[in-house]
């Protein structure tokens, strides 16, 4: 009942959604500061017959499903030697994966939770990787600073998707790529399509990956429950299970019944820079 009221309020007031989500991510980063929780997405499994899962170092195996979402999104283009920005980098595990495995020249993670940025700078000491505090709707970078912008499961928190997309187009160099994934209620999909079209960027790929995300949540269920039991105060365990999308959580059921759809996109800014 309370959860439904909260979602309704967020729908009618994007400002309320942005404020409350920021408070939640600030709280989580302050409350749990250990480095054994570095990714916060619902994960991905490649369901193509014969698909070979990406090779990961032993230290990354625990986060395999969350990393596979980054692998799916960021491998859409070759990032070797490029300047890459992640907006909404959370606890930094995704940006760290990109820098360590995909060989960009440099990688910057930006998040509007100062606490998360502080944690990231402490936990992820990787050459070429840094973290900054900043708002997706007002990015602290010059025009034409990056070859690629990555955005994973963050945009549903924003006050204005249009402002965010205008910022992506501004900071990308001509010919740069926007590698994007997130979920929306089914009835919000046409609005998202229109918002992406209005950027003037070319849509190179669009996929419904809901079955891939749902399968990741199935396979990662025990790991998520274990993490929650280890890390969350028992009074918050129920809420954190909802947030983590374990089996039985509202978002898990919505992915399963098709009322919420998870998509991935590849867009490209034109070579003329428009
Ligand atoms: C579900 S988490 C995903 C984090 C990370 N991408 C991952 O997959 O682990 C969403 C993240 O987006 C960040 N975020 C939400 N709104 C933001 C905004 N307006 N500007 C920058 N970051 C934002 C949150 O602080 C949070 O870290």
């Amino acid at each position: 009942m309370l959860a439904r009221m909260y979602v309704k309020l967020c729908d009618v007031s994007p400002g309320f959604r942005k404020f409350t989500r920021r408070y939640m991510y600030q709280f989580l980063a302050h409350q749990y500061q250990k480095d054994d929780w570095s990714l916060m997405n619902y994960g991905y499994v490649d369901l193509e017959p014969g698909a070979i899962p990406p090779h990961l170092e032993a230290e990354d195996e625990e986060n395999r499903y969350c990393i596979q979402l980054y692998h799916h999104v960021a491998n859409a283009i070759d990032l070797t030697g490029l300047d890459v920005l992640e907006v909404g980098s959370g606890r930094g595990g995704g940006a760290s994966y990109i820098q360590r495995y995909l060989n960009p020249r440099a990688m910057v993670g930006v998040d509007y939770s100062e606490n998360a940025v502080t944690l990231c700078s402490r936990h992820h000491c990787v050459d070429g990787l840094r973290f900054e505090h900043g708002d997706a709707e007002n990015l602290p970078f010059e025009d034409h600073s990056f070859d690629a912008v990555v955005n994973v499961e963050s945009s549903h928190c924003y006050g204005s998707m249009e402002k965010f997309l205008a910022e992506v187009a501004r900071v990308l160099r001509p010919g740069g790529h926007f590698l994007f994934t997130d979920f929306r209620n089914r009835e919000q999909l046409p609005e998202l399509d229109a918002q992406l079209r209005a950027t003037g960027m070319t849509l190179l790929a669009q996929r419904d990956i809901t079955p891939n995300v749902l399968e990741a949540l199935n396979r990662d269920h025990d790991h998520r429950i274990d993490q929650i039991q280890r890390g969350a105060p028992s009074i918050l365990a129920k809420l954190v299970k909802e947030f983590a999308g374990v089996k039985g959580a509202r978002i898990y059921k919505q992915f399963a019944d098709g009322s919420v759809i998870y998509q991935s996109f590849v867009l490209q800014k034109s070579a003329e820079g428009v």
Side-chain angles (χ1 to χ4, degrees):
M1 171 72 175
L2 268 178
R4 220 164 289 147
M5 263 173 64
Y6 173 72
V7 172
K8 263 250 145 4
L9 269 173
C10 288
D11 283 347
V12 294
S13 170
F16 173 78
R17 176 176 55 216
K18 184 174 177 180
F19 174 79
T20 52
R21 292 293 166 98
R22 177 163 182 273
Y23 185 82
M24 179 181 79
Y25 285 112
Q26 280 282 79
F27 174 78
L28 287 173
H30 178 261
Q31 186 69 23
Y32 194 81
Q33 302 203 3
K34 294 194 200 153
D35 63 359
D36 59 356
W37 179 32
S38 69
L39 287 123
M40 296 193 281
N41 65 62
Y42 292 133
Y44 179 91
V45 173
D46 190 340
L47 296 173
E48 286 300 312
I52 299 170
H55 166 77
L56 295 180
E57 301 299 332
E59 73 206 38
D60 294 317
E61 274 300 336
E62 190 184 5
N63 293 314
R64 169 165 287 282
Y65 298 108
C66 292
I67 288 178
Q68 284 180 176
L69 184 58
Y70 275 87
H71 180 83
H72 166 68
V73 174
N75 264 291
I77 64 161
D78 182 2
L79 294 179
T80 307
L82 301 186
D83 291 319
V84 182
L85 169 68
E86 181 182 11
V87 181
S89 46
R91 300 176 73 95
S96 168
Y97 162 75
I98 291 175
Q99 184 63 23
R100 289 179 295 124
Y101 286 80
L102 306 183
N103 307 310
R105 194 185 74 81
M107 172 89 216
V108 186
V110 161
D111 203 283
Y112 74 166
S113 160
E114 292 98 331
N115 293 343
V117 171
T118 304
L119 273 191
C120 288
S121 303
R122 199 187 315 145
H123 292 161
H124 304 289
C125 297
V126 178
D127 274 355
L129 173 63
R130 67 189 165 89
F131 294 92
E132 280 190 34
H133 175 240
D135 185 348
E137 296 166 45
N138 185 18
L139 291 171
F141 304 105
E142 300 287 315
D143 298 0
H144 305 168
S145 303
F146 298 97
D147 303 299
V149 174
V150 176
N151 186 246
V152 175
E153 206 176 295
S154 175
S155 71
H156 62 276
C157 304
Y158 301 167
S160 165
M161 188 66 185
E162 287 86 352
K163 278 192 192 160
F164 164 59
L165 291 172
E167 284 294 87
V168 171
R170 181 181 70 74
V171 301
L172 273 177
R173 295 183 179 130
H177 288 83
F178 177 41
L179 311 173
F180 164 53
T181 192
D182 208 349
F183 58 84
R184 291 289 187 278
N185 293 335
R186 181 176 284 283
E187 60 273 15
Q188 293 172 325
L189 298 183
E191 184 188 7
L192 179 60
D193 284 346
Q195 288 165 335
L196 292 171
R197 259 198 316 275
T199 63
M201 289 191 267
T202 305
L203 181 63
L204 301 181
Q206 174 171 11
R207 267 190 61 196
D208 176 351
I209 59 167
T210 318
N212 309 76
V213 173
L214 196 59
E215 183 55 19
L217 286 174
N218 286 331
R219 295 192 197 177
D220 208 24
H221 177 82
D222 291 346
H223 169 239
R224 284 172 188 256
I225 293 286
D226 182 51
Q227 260 189 332
I228 293 164
Q229 279 167 352
R230 273 187 290 135
S234 49
I235 189 166
L236 292 179
K238 196 159 177 263
L239 191 70
V240 180
K241 280 183 191 161
E242 283 296 320
F243 174 68
V246 299
K247 289 179 200 169
R250 184 179 154 82
I251 188 79
Y252 177 94
K253 291 183 193 156
Q254 289 173 316
F255 288 144
D257 70 18
S259 56
V260 173
I261 301 295
Y262 209 125
Q263 297 183 94
S264 65
F265 301 85
V266 181
L267 292 104
Q268 185 172 26
K269 184 167 166 173
S270 78
E272 292 76 42
V274 187

